[in-house]
Amino acid sequence: MILKYIMIDKIKMAALAVAVAAGLAGCMKYEKPNSDTSTSGTMTMVCDNSFQNIMEQEIEVFEFQYPEAHVLARYATENIAIDSLMKLNTKTIVIPRDLTKDEVKRLREKRFIAKSKKIAIDAIALIVNPANPADILTVGEIGEILTGKLRDWNEISPSDLGEIKVVFDSSYSSTVKYMRDSLMNVEPFGPNIYAQDSITGAFEAVKATKGAIGVVGVSWLNTDLDATEIPTEQLAAELASDEPTQGKAVDSSVKVLKVRRDDQVEAYKPYQQYIYDGSYPLFRQIYMVTVGANGGLNHGFYSFVTGRIGQKIILRTGIMPAVFSPQVVSLE
C-alpha cells in the first residue's frame, strides 16, 4: 500500500510539474519582447564616407534616446553601399544620389520595397592654406585644374606658390566621382591630383602645403562635429527644444574659397543659404534608403533621420537639411 501511494504521489507531482512548466512557457512566450522594433534591437547600415561625421551624430542621439537600439554603421564608398543593399547584406544605406529605376526593380524582384528620401543638400568645399592669397575660382578653372590644363597658381593670378596640388580624401570617394562627373567633361584627371587615406589627411595636406587645394564635403568644415565638445545628453536636449539650431564656424587652420559660375560675376562660399538657392554651384543631394520592414529598427532609424530631430542634426553641421529653412553659418 505504501508503494502504491508513493507511486500515485509521484505521478501527481510529475503532472503538476508539467502543468507548471507549460504555464511558465506560455507566460514567457506571451511576455517575450520583440527583439526588433522601431526603437530596439540591432541593425547594420552602410553610409557614404563623406557623410560619416553627420551620421555618427545621428546614431549617437538615436541610441541615447532609445538605449535598447544599436546601429552598427560601416563607412565606405557609394558603390560598396549600393552593392551591400542589392545583395541584402544591409537594409539601410546613405548615398549621394537616389536609387535608379533598375535598382528599385532588382529589389522588387527579391520581394523588397525600397523607401528612399532626400535627407540633405550637401556641397563640395574647396579649402586652401591660409597663406594662399587666392579667394575665388570659377567652375571652368576648377575643371581645368582637375584635368591638369592649369598646373601653376601663376596661371590663375600673379603668385609664387608654384604647382597646384589637388587633394582628395580617397581615390574612390564620392567627392572624386562628383568632380569628375560634374566638371571634367569625361576627361581624365591630371598628374597634379592626389589622394590621402582619410578626410583628416586631406586637411593636414592643405595645412602643410601652401599650394594645395583640398576637396571636402562642407560638413567637415564645422568644428562643432567633435563629439567631445558637447555631452550627448545636452545635445539631445538642445535638439528637442524649439530654439533655433546653430552650428559653429570652421576654424582658421584652412581657408574656404568662393566659387562662381563662368557666366556670372558674383562668387559664393558654401553657406546654407547659397546651397539652398543654388547660388553656390558645387552641390549634390544626399539620400537615405531602406528596405527594412515597417515596425522594425531599420525603419525606426530611417524615420528618425528624416524626421524633425534628425534634420536638426544635419542643420547644425553647415549643410542644408531637406525639410528645414536655411540659415547663414559663417565659414570665415
Side-chain angles (χ1 to χ4, degrees):
M1 291 294 291
I2 295 175
L3 289 176
K4 183 177 180 182
Y5 286 130
I6 291 175
M7 290 293 292
I8 292 172
D9 289 342
K10 285 184 176 180
I11 292 172
K12 288 180 178 178
M13 290 296 293
L16 178 62
V18 170
V20 170
L24 287 174
C27 290
M28 289 177 65
K29 183 176 181 181
Y30 177 76
E31 295 177 356
K32 183 179 179 181
N34 186 347
S35 60
D36 182 35
T37 73
S38 60
T39 57
S40 66
T42 300
M43 61 166 280
T44 64
M45 65 171 296
V46 182
C47 177
D48 184 274
N49 286 322
S50 63
F51 216 63
Q52 176 178 348
N53 50 354
I54 298 174
M55 192 51 55
E56 285 179 347
Q57 280 202 51
E58 298 279 5
I59 294 170
E60 180 184 1
V61 175
F62 182 74
E63 290 183 340
F64 176 81
Q65 291 191 345
Y66 307 107
E68 294 183 2
H70 306 285
V71 182
L72 307 178
R74 177 186 179 191
Y75 300 101
T77 65
E78 173 189 326
N79 290 340
I80 289 176
I82 291 290
D83 187 60
S84 296
L85 184 68
M86 291 298 110
K87 292 179 178 178
L88 299 176
N89 292 332
T90 189
K91 293 182 179 180
T92 301
I93 62 174
V94 174
I95 52 175
R97 66 172 178 86
D98 200 357
L99 293 182
T100 65
K101 291 182 179 180
D102 180 64
E103 289 163 347
V104 172
K105 180 181 178 182
R106 285 164 57 192
L107 289 169
R108 282 183 176 273
E109 289 172 351
K110 296 179 180 181
R111 299 181 183 277
F112 283 88
I113 305 300
K115 302 178 185 69
S116 176
K117 192 168 185 178
K118 181 171 69 175
I119 59 173
I121 305 172
D122 191 17
I124 306 300
L126 303 181
I127 58 174
V128 296
N129 190 289
N132 190 325
D135 290 311
I136 299 172
L137 286 177
T138 68
V139 170
E141 287 171 340
I142 297 169
E144 291 188 335
I145 290 171
L146 293 172
T147 57
K149 295 175 182 177
L150 287 177
R151 300 277 300 276
D152 195 287
W153 283 103
N154 200 46
E155 298 178 71
I156 297 174
S157 61
S159 173
D160 59 358
L161 290 178
E163 182 184 10
I164 302 172
K165 296 181 179 180
V166 180
V167 184
F168 287 91
D169 59 314
S170 166
S171 300
Y172 305 101
S173 72
S174 60
T175 53
V176 170
K177 183 177 184 297
Y178 173 86
M179 299 299 270
R180 183 183 62 236
D181 295 348
S182 303
L183 303 177
M184 297 177 61
N185 195 27
V186 305
E187 295 186 51
F189 282 106
N192 56 326
I193 309 300
Y194 303 86
Q196 304 298 306
D197 57 0
S198 66
I199 294 287
T200 301
F203 272 86
E204 293 303 318
V206 169
K207 294 175 186 179
T209 309
K210 291 182 179 180
I213 300 176
V215 184
V216 299
V218 165
S219 66
W220 288 98
L221 302 176
N222 195 314
T223 57
D224 196 46
L225 291 176
D226 186 349
T228 63
E229 291 188 11
I230 178 173
T232 305
E233 183 175 3
Q234 181 182 339
L235 173 60
E238 289 179 3
L239 292 167
S241 75
D242 293 326
E243 294 299 316
T245 300
Q246 297 292 335
K248 293 183 180 179
V250 66
D251 62 38
S252 59
S253 63
V254 296
K255 182 169 75 172
V256 182
L257 294 181
K258 293 181 179 180
V259 178
R260 70 173 177 85
R261 291 180 171 85
D262 297 329
D263 59 350
Q264 295 181 352
V265 176
E266 191 71 26
Y268 299 90
K269 284 190 178 183
Y271 295 144
Q272 286 177 328
Q273 174 64 46
Y274 302 142
I275 297 170
Y276 175 76
D277 65 19
S279 297
Y280 185 78
L282 307 180
F283 66 90
R284 60 183 180 172
Q285 319 294 327
I286 303 294
Y287 284 83
M288 190 171 193
V289 183
T290 188
V291 294
N294 290 345
L297 185 57
N298 280 272
H299 188 265
F301 185 57
Y302 172 86
S303 298
F304 174 83
V305 175
T306 59
R308 176 176 173 270
I309 293 180
Q311 290 289 284
K312 288 184 74 173
I313 291 173
I314 294 172
L315 181 66
R316 71 192 296 273
T317 67
I319 69 172
M320 193 62 223
V323 297
F324 270 81
S325 300
Q327 61 187 23
V328 174
V329 177
S330 174
L331 299 177
E332 299 293 349

